[in-house]
Amino acid sequence: MDGTIFIGGGGEDYATKQGLLLKYANRHGLVAGATGTGKTVTLQIMAESFAAQGVPVFMSDVKGDLSGLAKAGSEGFKLHEAFTSRAQKIGFDDYAYEAFPVTFWDLFGDQGHPIRTTVTEMGPLLLSRLLELTDAQEGVLNIAFRVSDEQGLPLLDLKDLQALLVWVGENAKELSLRYGNVSTSSVGAIQRALLVLENQGGYKLFGEPALDLADIIRTDIDGRGRISILASDKLMGAPRLYATFLLWLLSELFEELPEVGDPDKPKLVFFFDEAHLLFDDAPKALVDKVEQVARLIRSKGVGVYFITQNPADVPEDILGQLGNRIQHALRAFTGKDRKELKQAAETYRDNPRFSTEDAIREVGVGEAVTSFLGGKGAPGVVERTLIRPPSSQLGPIEPGERKALIDASPIAGKYETLQDRDSAYEMLTKRATDAAKEAEEAERREAEAETLTLREFNSGRRYTGTEDDKPTSRQRSRKSTDEGFSEAVVKVVIKELKGTTGRRIVRGIFGSLFKGR
């Protein structure tokens, strides 16, 4: 099927080939269905087909099964006969086992190349979502980003942001006059949220070298698209971090890629697994952002496919833009389930041969209700489709095999060594160190000034008469009285010089003298 992603066989005997036209693959899509109905295998065969057509793919591996894409299937596999029988039934005449070019990524750096971004690239909107900040706290975070821009303080990793927030808290009064209220309680709340993120391992997401988008939009030497697989089994332990990172990546693609109009095939296909995590309790501003990206990114040649259990997990404004759909079975155990099942069926173009609602309820494992965009981008008639068998290995590869592929990757060594160039943390630390040195120097100068003042004061009290000038008893008595009075004055002056007022007097008198020292 030239120019088509072969999905499976439809029709009464499953002999009619069903596929997704490459020229409409950037119109986005949906893969939905209950747990255990075959969504993961559908993702696998879609990734295989796109890669075979020279289209790079980015996908998250939530269960750890998709690493099998890197290894060809085997005739010794227990489902070999079932696979070949299905291939024959749906007319998949050139079915053969095959491995595909794969690049493994891992935010934690354990099961793939480290994948990072900077705090600045993440931006305050997504970071606020990640940290679950209130509106007031998000406002303070926006002020911190503005200060970063105005004062040339790059925010690369978490310690940069933490250091900047300390500075913002210390200068809250001045910043409040310019930008609005900056409360220390909001600063403290953000710092606590950053600590939680750090404890979850989120600090590994931020830093350099940051991801170069060209490394996930690669083709192999034989022209096949490389499949980038993000290890997400561990990442799912922090679901908000998982969803925010994928949304950031989608936003970066939208902002960085040039306009290409309607290409013959996508530049990249992006699979967003567990898509419900993106929209759970999401503020309207974030949902609007996702809708904007979904609406406009297709002109950049990127197709986005949301994978979730129920179509109702995706907001209607976004769901309406997903033209290519593969719906696995939905279970209707409750009234709410039946209502959602009916709503899902109503979004398809009816087939007179069967009830769409009944079909969604009845399809078995490895079977789905499908609808793809046809001529002029119009939705096709819904079909019950038997999904084709995978050519790559079903299930994960061994850890040793994964490591060998990582070491042989075309980007091996590019991201493994963390870089820590001067940024906000180092710059603010230097400012604090310099200020401390200046304060220490000022204290030393003040101490010298006080000592010099006392020495000159005492010198002025001395009498330089000759030895022959012997005072009389009356003069000695008067001198004794004068000296007692003078000593009292000296004590008062010394006390004043040791105080704040005295130090100001000394600085006023001797400032020019000690300025150059």
Side-chain angles (χ1 to χ4, degrees):
M1 299 177 67
D2 293 336
T4 304
I5 299 300
F6 180 42
I7 300 298
E12 294 184 2
D13 299 321
Y14 300 112
T16 304
K17 292 184 178 181
Q18 301 296 311
L20 190 163
L21 294 175
L22 272 175
K23 65 179 180 179
Y24 295 131
N26 66 329
R27 303 289 180 94
H28 312 321
L30 173 74
V31 180
T35 301
T37 55
K39 294 195 303 296
T40 301
V41 176
T42 298
L43 296 186
Q44 186 167 341
I45 65 103
M46 291 180 74
E48 290 178 358
S49 298
F50 277 117
Q53 297 276 5
V55 179
V57 174
F58 185 94
M59 61 198 319
S60 54
D61 189 4
V62 173
K63 300 177 182 176
D65 294 338
L66 294 175
S67 61
L69 281 159
K71 187 176 180 179
S74 169
E75 294 183 0
F77 183 55
K78 61 182 180 180
L79 295 178
H80 169 68
E81 291 185 5
F83 284 175
T84 54
S85 175
R86 176 174 293 197
Q88 185 178 4
K89 186 174 186 177
I90 64 176
F92 193 6
D93 300 327
D94 56 349
Y95 176 61
Y97 292 125
E98 183 182 4
F100 293 85
V102 168
T103 303
F104 291 107
W105 299 91
D106 185 2
L107 187 148
F108 302 105
D110 298 328
Q111 302 181 70
H113 303 292
I115 187 167
R116 306 183 192 90
T117 182
T118 64
V119 173
T120 297
E121 288 176 342
M122 178 68 76
L125 175 62
L126 291 182
L127 199 56
S128 297
R129 162 68 170 166
L130 178 59
L131 300 175
E132 302 183 66
L133 302 183
T134 65
D135 290 343
Q137 293 160 6
E138 183 179 349
V140 172
L141 188 63
N142 274 281
I143 291 172
F145 272 78
R146 174 64 68 85
V147 170
S148 166
D149 292 338
E150 292 180 349
Q151 299 206 14
L153 299 170
L155 298 176
L156 304 181
D157 51 27
L158 284 189
K159 71 178 187 297
D160 289 329
L161 181 56
Q162 290 165 336
L164 180 60
L165 286 169
V166 170
W167 187 91
V168 168
E170 291 174 344
N171 296 272
K173 185 176 181 180
E174 292 80 2
L175 293 173
S176 295
L177 293 174
R178 182 173 181 183
Y179 300 111
N181 184 41
V182 178
S183 69
T184 54
S185 60
S186 291
V187 173
I190 299 172
Q191 292 282 39
R192 289 192 296 273
L194 288 174
L195 181 61
V196 172
L197 176 63
E198 191 173 7
N199 291 339
Q200 292 176 343
Y203 67 95
K204 293 187 177 181
L205 170 60
F206 299 103
E208 290 185 321
L211 175 67
D212 181 355
L213 293 180
D215 287 331
I216 65 170
I217 311 177
R218 282 176 171 263
T219 53
D220 213 18
I221 55 175
D222 58 4
R224 295 184 300 172
R226 291 195 71 87
I227 303 172
S228 292
I229 299 178
L230 176 68
S232 303
D233 48 349
K234 183 179 177 182
L235 184 57
M236 288 300 294
R240 197 171 290 267
L241 176 60
Y242 166 82
T244 304
F245 170 74
L246 289 185
L247 181 56
W248 164 79
L249 183 53
L250 201 57
S251 300
E252 283 295 293
L253 290 167
F254 169 67
E255 293 173 4
E256 297 297 328
L257 293 181
E259 296 276 346
V260 294
D262 288 318
D264 293 334
K265 62 182 180 181
K267 293 183 63 175
L268 176 72
V269 170
F270 189 102
F271 289 101
F272 203 129
D273 202 356
E274 300 292 343
H276 67 280
L277 296 174
L278 177 59
F279 305 108
D280 287 348
D281 301 321
K284 186 178 185 302
L286 186 63
V287 176
D288 291 343
K289 174 76 171 178
V290 177
E291 182 186 353
Q292 178 193 31
V293 170
R295 188 183 301 277
L296 301 177
I297 200 172
R298 75 181 190 185
S299 64
K300 307 294 184 83
V302 177
V304 183
Y305 289 76
F306 293 94
I307 297 91
T308 188
Q309 292 194 16
N310 196 311
D313 295 333
V314 181
E316 286 190 5
D317 290 341
I318 297 172
L319 191 63
Q321 300 178 49
L322 311 181
N324 301 296
R325 300 191 183 186
I326 301 175
Q327 176 69 64
H328 288 272
L330 286 178
R331 309 306 181 197
F333 298 115
T334 67
K336 182 175 181 292
D337 292 339
R338 287 192 291 273
K339 182 179 179 181
E340 291 178 345
L341 174 59
K342 183 177 180 180
Q343 289 177 339
E346 289 173 349
T347 62
Y348 290 93
R349 182 179 169 188
D350 291 334
N351 189 322
R353 290 192 297 106
F354 58 85
S355 164
T356 305
E357 184 176 344
D358 291 341
I360 294 175
R361 185 188 295 109
E362 296 170 357
V363 289
V365 176
E367 189 180 5
V369 172
T370 62
S371 175
F372 304 108
L373 296 178
K376 299 182 180 180
V381 174
V382 66
E383 278 288 357
R384 290 185 64 153
T385 303
L386 199 60
I387 305 299
R388 79 162 180 85
S391 298
S392 56
Q393 176 177 296
L394 189 64
I397 60 176
E398 296 295 328
E401 295 173 319
R402 179 190 285 263
K403 185 178 185 307
L405 288 167
I406 294 171
D407 292 341
S409 167
I411 59 169
K414 181 175 181 179
Y415 297 98
E416 275 65 22
T417 302
L418 183 66
Q419 299 173 3
D420 191 15
R421 63 185 174 95
D422 282 355
S423 48
Y425 173 80
E426 288 77 15
M427 293 177 179
L428 290 172
T429 299
K430 185 176 184 301
R431 284 188 190 180
T433 302
D434 292 345
K437 288 181 179 178
E438 289 179 5
E440 185 179 349
E441 181 66 17
E443 289 289 334
R444 185 187 64 78
R445 290 174 180 174
E446 289 180 4
E448 289 180 354
E450 290 179 2
T451 302
L452 180 61
T453 302
L454 293 176
R455 186 184 304 122
E456 292 181 352
F457 185 87
N458 289 331
S459 297
R461 293 173 53 244
R462 295 189 187 128
Y463 177 71
T464 56
T466 62
E467 262 186 14
D468 294 333
D469 296 332
K470 302 289 184 181
T472 63
S473 59
R474 184 176 179 180
Q475 287 175 328
R476 283 198 301 272
S477 175
R478 183 176 178 181
K479 180 180 178 182
S480 175
T481 303
D482 290 343
E483 285 180 351
F485 176 76
S486 298
E487 289 176 359
V489 171
V490 168
K491 289 180 181 179
V492 172
V493 171
I494 291 175
K495 183 176 179 181
E496 280 298 311
L497 287 175
K498 287 183 178 180
T500 303
T501 304
R503 285 198 294 271
R504 288 177 181 169
I505 294 173
V506 172
R507 282 197 294 270
I509 298 173
F510 299 101
S512 59
L513 179 63
F514 289 93
K515 187 174 182 180
R517 294 191 181 182

